Amino acid sequence: MLIGYARVSKGDDQSDALQLRALKEAGCDRIFTEAMSGGRWDRPELHRLIDQLRPGDVVMVWKLDRLSRSLKDLLHLIDRITRAEAGFRSLTEAIETTSPAGRMLMHMIGSFAEFERAMIQERTTAGLASARAEGRIGGRRKKLDAAKRREIAESVLSGRKTGAEMARVYDVSPPTVSRIVAEYQTALTAGGS
């Protein structure tokens, strides 16, 4: 069975008429339509379509970006379709997985995506190492300076205030206060040894 999937972004003044016409002309027996962003995973019609696939079915879309905006997500969806022993075809780009040549093309696209992810990871790692060498440390800045952290720890340890009270005073969570107190105690113990 040929099964179509048409999607327009929610909130846009887009129409799915062009997609529906193309999918009907291509011979789709059933068409699932949706008005949601292609970057979202919680698309109920897409999941209904995939859940109902049977061996030999072919999922058709007008363009690849109707199925997903992310190459990684696109490959994941096509993998799910393939695991259901179904095929995939994009009408505009003439990409399909129903022939050996089409499957080879999808593997090549997947290889390029994997290469791109590896290159991004390599550049990120090099950038972080360079920043550390220059004395810059990533992550969010601490909300509390050393003096405030010391005041929290000493107030809680002396019994003047509870951890919950200090959390409210400095607008932090109680686990943050517990962590500050534990770090302070560790520092005192290490300094006293």
Side-chain angles (χ1 to χ4, degrees), residues 90-193:
S90 170
L91 299 174
T92 306
E93 292 91 359
I95 293 176
E96 47 81 28
T97 64
T98 58
S99 71
R103 286 190 294 277
M104 181 188 73
L105 180 61
M106 287 309 301
H107 286 291
M108 288 172 55
I109 290 172
S111 296
F112 283 120
E114 188 176 324
F115 174 72
E116 179 185 18
R117 282 191 299 274
M119 294 303 293
I120 289 169
Q121 185 177 17
E122 190 176 285
R123 285 192 302 269
T124 301
T125 302
L128 290 171
S130 175
R132 274 193 295 278
E134 295 172 7
R136 292 179 295 161
I137 299 172
R140 192 167 71 179
R141 285 184 170 51
K142 291 189 185 268
K143 185 174 187 176
L144 304 170
D145 61 24
K148 290 176 183 172
R149 295 169 76 81
R150 185 173 47 255
E151 182 183 345
I152 289 171
E154 289 174 355
S155 295
V156 171
L157 290 171
S158 70
R160 290 190 311 260
K161 299 271 187 182
T162 66
E165 289 172 320
M166 293 309 288
R168 280 192 297 278
V169 167
Y170 286 103
D171 192 28
V172 294
S173 69
T176 298
V177 170
S178 297
R179 196 168 37 257
I180 289 170
V181 171
E183 288 169 1
Y184 186 80
Q185 285 179 311
T186 302
L188 284 178
T189 306
S193 314

Side-chain angles (χ1 to χ4, degrees), residues 25-143:
E25 288 173 2
C28 287
D29 303 306
R30 187 163 181 205
I31 300 174
F32 290 79
T33 62
E34 204 142 47
M36 294 189 97
S37 168
R40 295 184 59 144
W41 265 104
D42 59 340
R43 291 182 275 158
E45 290 301 305
L46 176 61
H47 291 289
R48 276 187 52 224
L49 181 155
I50 290 173
D51 291 342
Q52 294 178 18
L53 286 176
R54 294 175 301 196
D57 287 347
V58 176
V59 176
M60 292 182 126
V61 293
W62 178 58
K63 292 180 81 167
L64 285 174
D65 68 353
R66 299 299 89 198
L67 191 59
S68 178
R69 297 243 172 120
S70 155
L71 181 58
K72 176 185 168 192
D73 293 345
L74 175 68
L75 293 172
H76 175 74
L77 288 168
I78 291 174
D79 182 56
R80 285 186 63 191
I81 292 168
T82 303
R83 280 188 275 132
E85 297 180 32
F88 171 78
R89 187 177 303 152
S90 170
L91 299 174
T92 306
E93 292 91 359
I95 293 176
E96 47 81 28
T97 64
T98 58
S99 71
R103 286 190 294 277
M104 181 188 73
L105 180 61
M106 287 309 301
H107 286 291
M108 288 172 55
I109 290 172
S111 296
F112 283 120
E114 188 176 324
F115 174 72
E116 179 185 18
R117 282 191 299 274
M119 294 303 293
I120 289 169
Q121 185 177 17
E122 190 176 285
R123 285 192 302 269
T124 301
T125 302
L128 290 171
S130 175
R132 274 193 295 278
E134 295 172 7
R136 292 179 295 161
I137 299 172
R140 192 167 71 179
R141 285 184 170 51
K142 291 189 185 268
K143 185 174 187 176

